[in-house]
Amino acid sequence: MLTIHEAVDSLQQYLGKPIDLEIKYMTFPHHQDDQMVLIYIRSIVDPLNINMNILDPIREAIAKEQITDEPLKDQPLIQGILASCKPVLMDNKEMADVLFEGNWLILVNQLAQGFYYNAVNWHNREMVPPEREVGLVGPRDAFTEDIDINLSLIRRRIRDNSIRIEEYVIGERSKTKVNVVYMDGLVNEKALGMFRDRIDDFKLDIVLDSTQIGYLISKQVYSPFPMFQLTERPDKAASSMLEGRFVVVVDTSPSVLIFPTTITCLYEASDDYYFSSIAALLFRGIRLLGLSITLFLPSLYVAITTVNQDVFRVQFMLAVTASREGIPYPSYIEVIIMLLLIELINEATVRLPRTIGGTATIVGGLIIGTAAAQAHLISYIMIVITATTAIGSYTAPNYMVGLAWRILSFLIVIMAIPLGLYGVVIGTGFIGLYLCHLHSFGVPYTAPFSTFRYKDLFRDAMTRVSRGMMRIRPSTYSREAAGKKRLEWLEQEDLF
C-alpha cells in the first residue's frame, strides 16, 4: 500500500504539476509525521466549503486537545469528516477525475482508499455575453478580469490530466500573473519553447492588458496584422488548445491570447462550428467577399475614374461621370475623404457612451452623407461605395484583422492614383508577399495555403466540412497534434 507521500507524488506527476493544484499536509498532536493530506484544484473549488467542513473542525479539535495518540484513522473527528465523503480508489486516473469535477480529496495514512467531497465552484456570475465576438448560438459566457475564473472556464470544458499550466509574473511594479495553458502531447513544442525564450527577453513596468504581452512576445513593430488571436470566448480558447495551440491568460484582462496564429484562423468564427457545414461555407464565403470589397472597391473606383476609363462600357462610365457632375476635386480626393469619414464615425461610435453612440452613426452616415451629396461635395455613387466598403470590413470576426485590411486599402488607393489597375495589382502583390513573409512562432501566417497542406485547406480553412470528416486534428498549428483523432466512430467508420 502506498504512503500518502508516494500517492501525492505520483498524482502530481500524472497531472503535470499544475499551478492551481493545492496540496496541504496536516500534522496533528501526538503524531510526528504527516498523517493526512488535503488535495484540490484551487480554481474550481470553493475555499469556504473547505474551511467549514475540514479546516475549522480540525483547528477546533486541536485547540480543545481532542486529538489522542491513537492512529489517525481511528480518531472520532477524522471518522466524522470521512463519514460525509465518498470513497475513491488510490488510482491516479480515478483521483484526477474526482479533482476535475470540483471535489476536494483526503488521503489518510493506513487507509487503502481516498475520500472526496463535492465543493465545486465554477465561479458562476451574472451572465455577460461576449461583446466583441457575438454569436447566434453556442455558449454565452465570456472571460473576465479574474485569472482564476478564466482558468475555471477552461477547466470546465476540458477535464483532462493533459492540461498544463505554467505561471509567470510580469511587471516590475504591477507583478501581474500570466498563465500559459496548453495540452501536453498536442501543443506545438517549438512554438511553446519560443514563447518561453521571448518572455524572458523584456522587462515591463506594468501590465494593463493581455494585448501588451501579445505585441511584445510576437515582436510586432510595424505590421498591421496581429500575430496573435485575441478572444473573449472560452469555447474558442478550449478548441484552440485541442488543435495544438497554447493560450495565454493575463490577470486583470478579460481577453486571452492564442498562439500561434494564421490569417485563416482569424476569419473563423465560433458560429462556423455550431451550424451545418453548408451554412459555414456560406458564412466564410461572405467574409471573403467582405474582405475583397474592403480591400479593392475604393481603389477600383479610383482606377476606373482616373486612369482606366476604357475598361467598362460607355453607358456605365457616362453614369459615373453624370453622378460626379459638379464635384470640385478628383475622384481619389473624394475616396480618401469618405474613407477618413468612415474611420471618424467608427472612432466616435466606440468612444461615445452606448446611450448616445448610435447618434454618431445617424449623424455621420445619414445627415452628413446626404447633405454632402446635395451640396455636390461628394457623389451619390461614392456614398454607395463607402457604405459597401464599411459593411464589408465589419464581416471580419476579428476586429484587429479587419482594421489591418482597412489600413491597407488606403495603400492600394494611393497606388491606383497614378497607375490605375496596374497599381491595384502591384499593391495586391506586395501585400501577398508580405503575408508570406510573416510567421507566428514558427508557423507561416498564410498556412495552410502556403504550406500546401491540402487536407487542412479543404477541411477547415477555405471550407468547413462535416464533423464526421474532421476526425483528424489539423497539422497546421502543431506537428505533435497532426494525425491524432478527435472523433472516432464506433460503427460504420468506413462511411467517412
Side-chain angles (χ1 to χ4, degrees):
M1 183 174 62
L2 293 176
T3 66
I4 59 173
H5 286 279
E6 294 171 339
V8 169
D9 291 341
S10 178
L11 181 62
Q12 279 187 300
Q13 293 297 328
Y14 181 76
L15 295 176
K17 297 183 178 180
I19 56 99
D20 57 348
L21 181 67
E22 293 286 345
I23 300 173
K24 296 183 181 296
Y25 285 99
M26 300 182 186
T27 303
F28 297 85
H30 313 294
H31 298 270
Q32 295 181 354
D33 299 329
D34 297 326
Q35 295 291 308
M36 188 172 80
V37 62
L38 172 66
I39 310 171
Y40 59 93
I41 297 177
R42 182 184 65 246
S43 59
I44 60 176
V45 167
D46 183 7
L48 295 178
N49 185 297
I50 295 175
N51 287 328
M52 182 176 63
N53 291 287
I54 300 181
L55 300 182
D56 289 345
I58 289 176
R59 293 190 190 103
E60 183 179 353
I62 293 175
K64 294 181 179 179
E65 299 182 352
Q66 295 176 349
I67 304 297
T68 65
D69 57 356
E70 296 181 3
L72 201 61
K73 64 184 180 63
D74 298 327
Q75 300 282 341
L77 169 67
I78 303 303
Q79 291 180 348
I81 292 175
L82 300 184
S84 61
C85 300
K86 297 179 181 179
V88 62
L89 297 176
M90 289 184 64
D91 173 76
N92 286 335
K93 185 179 185 306
E94 297 286 338
M95 292 189 293
D97 291 341
V98 164
L99 294 174
F100 292 147
E101 291 293 334
N103 301 284
W104 46 257
L105 174 67
I106 286 181
L107 303 180
V108 181
N109 259 346
Q110 300 180 358
L111 290 181
Q113 58 186 359
F115 296 86
Y116 68 93
Y117 188 86
N118 185 271
V120 65
N121 179 18
W122 294 117
H123 297 281
N124 293 319
R125 62 192 180 99
E126 182 182 355
M127 187 184 71
V128 179
E131 296 185 359
R132 295 185 300 275
E133 298 175 272
V134 180
L136 296 176
V137 295
R140 307 296 294 171
D141 53 353
F143 287 120
T144 71
E145 288 79 7
D146 190 299
I147 194 169
D148 285 333
I149 293 179
N150 293 343
L151 291 178
S152 171
L153 292 172
I154 294 175
R155 281 196 176 276
R156 191 172 189 177
R157 286 163 170 80
I158 306 177
R159 305 180 189 185
D160 191 86
N161 67 296
S162 298
I163 287 186
R164 299 291 182 266
I165 305 174
E166 299 179 5
E167 184 172 82
Y168 300 88
V169 177
I170 300 179
E172 296 293 318
R173 298 182 184 275
S174 63
K175 310 295 183 185
T176 304
K177 290 183 181 179
V178 177
N179 288 348
V180 182
V181 191
Y182 59 91
M183 300 293 293
D184 188 34
L186 295 179
V187 69
N188 186 329
E189 293 289 351
K190 179 181 177 182
L192 185 61
M194 293 174 65
F195 179 89
R196 291 168 177 155
D197 294 338
R198 291 183 184 182
I199 203 168
D200 296 326
D201 287 346
F202 62 86
K203 288 186 178 180
L204 194 61
D205 189 40
I206 185 173
V207 178
L208 299 176
D209 189 69
S210 58
T211 52
Q212 291 178 281
I213 304 295
Y215 285 114
L216 290 171
I217 287 293
S218 59
K219 297 185 178 180
Q220 184 178 353
V221 182
Y222 301 112
S223 174
F225 293 98
M227 294 294 103
F228 54 87
Q229 187 174 6
L230 190 71
T231 184
E232 57 183 347
R233 297 187 61 125
D235 56 334
K236 181 175 289 188
S239 62
S240 298
M241 289 169 55
L242 294 174
E243 290 180 341
R245 298 196 277 171
F246 58 91
V247 172
V248 179
V249 186
V250 180
D251 198 18
T252 73
S253 176
S255 300
V256 305
L257 308 174
I258 304 175
F259 297 96
T261 301
T262 63
I263 192 69
T264 54
C265 72
L266 294 175
Y267 268 85
E268 295 171 358
S270 297
D271 281 356
D272 294 352
Y273 303 95
Y274 302 138
F275 285 96
S276 67
S277 57
I278 297 177
L281 177 62
L282 174 63
F283 295 155
R284 294 188 179 180
I286 292 296
R287 292 180 204 131
L288 181 61
L289 177 62
L291 185 157
S292 303
I293 289 173
T294 303
L295 196 58
F296 298 120
L297 187 59
S299 57
L300 289 175
Y301 175 74
V302 171
I304 65 174
T305 54
T306 57
V307 179
N308 304 100
Q309 294 92 342
D310 56 341
V311 171
F312 291 96
R313 297 180 61 181
V314 175
Q315 292 86 343
F316 179 80
M317 295 307 302
L318 288 175
V320 173
T321 304
S323 69
R324 296 201 69 256
E325 185 177 356
I327 307 299
Y329 33 73
S331 60
Y332 58 84
I333 299 296
E334 183 184 16
V335 168
I336 292 175
I337 290 175
M338 290 304 293
L339 290 180
L340 290 175
L341 178 61
I342 287 295
E343 296 303 325
L344 285 172
I345 295 174
N346 287 337
E347 189 68 11
T349 305
V350 170
R351 304 304 166 200
L352 283 173
R354 292 186 178 182
T355 53
I356 61 174
T359 306
T361 305
I362 296 173
V363 172
L366 182 62
I367 300 176
I368 294 179
T370 304
Q374 291 176 350
H376 295 286
L377 296 177
I378 58 172
S379 61
Y380 283 103
I381 193 172
M382 191 64 240
I383 295 178
V384 175
I385 291 174
T386 304
T388 307
T389 302
I391 293 173
S393 68
Y394 300 149
T395 60
N398 186 285
Y399 180 81
M400 290 183 172
V401 75
L403 178 60
W405 292 124
R406 296 208 304 268
I407 293 172
L408 292 176
S409 68
F410 283 95
L411 173 64
I412 298 183
V413 166
I414 292 172
M415 296 192 69
I417 294 172
L419 300 176
L421 294 176
Y422 291 109
V424 175
V425 174
I426 293 171
T428 304
F430 281 145
I431 294 173
L433 290 173
Y434 179 70
L435 287 174
C436 291
H437 173 72
L438 295 177
H439 287 75
S440 176
F441 288 88
V443 176
Y445 201 57
T446 52
F449 294 95
S450 60
T451 54
F452 303 105
R453 292 188 173 97
Y454 298 109
K455 291 183 178 180
D456 291 354
L457 184 63
F458 291 105
R459 280 177 180 166
D460 194 19
M462 292 181 61
T463 61
R464 202 226 85 192
V465 297
S466 64
R467 281 289 183 184
M469 299 176 68
M470 295 175 63
R471 294 174 300 160
I472 306 300
R473 302 183 195 277
S475 58
T476 299
Y477 306 107
S478 172
R479 291 183 178 179
E480 288 78 2
K484 295 185 178 179
K485 290 185 178 181
R486 54 184 170 189
L487 171 65
E488 188 169 358
W489 291 88
L490 300 181
E491 296 180 359
Q492 298 179 334
E493 188 170 355
D494 57 325
L495 293 178
F496 301 96

